[in-house]
Amino acid sequence: MRIFADYHTHTRFSHGKGTIEENVQAARKKGLREIAITDHGPGHFLYGIRKDALVKMKEEIRRINDRYGD
């Protein structure tokens, strides 16, 4: 079985250590074709994304998709 995706990644927007782009770069290095950003939402009581960061996150994902999209 060949793994082609990781559908559970986190970023600095919640409690991960890297940026969205760093997650994409790491996935590409491993030969993955797809990832999902699954940061915790603003309702999470400890480390959810701030509501005001949701727009920034969406813009960053759009920019990265334009850069790395196949």
Side-chain angles (χ1 to χ4, degrees):
M1 179 169 88
R2 184 170 184 273
I3 297 174
F4 66 93
D6 182 350
Y7 295 125
H8 191 139
T9 70
H10 295 279
T11 71
R12 292 179 185 161
F13 280 104
S14 64
H15 70 289
K17 297 191 186 297
T19 65
I20 295 171
E21 188 160 11
E22 289 169 340
N23 283 11
V24 170
Q25 291 169 346
R28 289 172 66 92
K29 247 185 206 178
K30 294 175 183 178
L32 300 179
R33 298 202 33 88
E34 300 175 4
I35 66 167
I37 305 299
T38 57
D39 286 320
H40 296 278
H44 194 280
F45 69 101
L46 288 177
Y47 37 69
I49 186 173
R50 292 184 341 264
K51 285 183 183 180
D52 61 336
L54 287 171
V55 172
K56 181 179 177 187
M57 182 183 203
K58 187 174 181 178
E59 290 169 354
E60 187 173 336
I61 290 170
R62 186 176 295 121
R63 179 183 56 79
I64 291 168
N65 278 334
D66 288 344
R67 180 180 294 165
Y68 293 97
D70 295 320

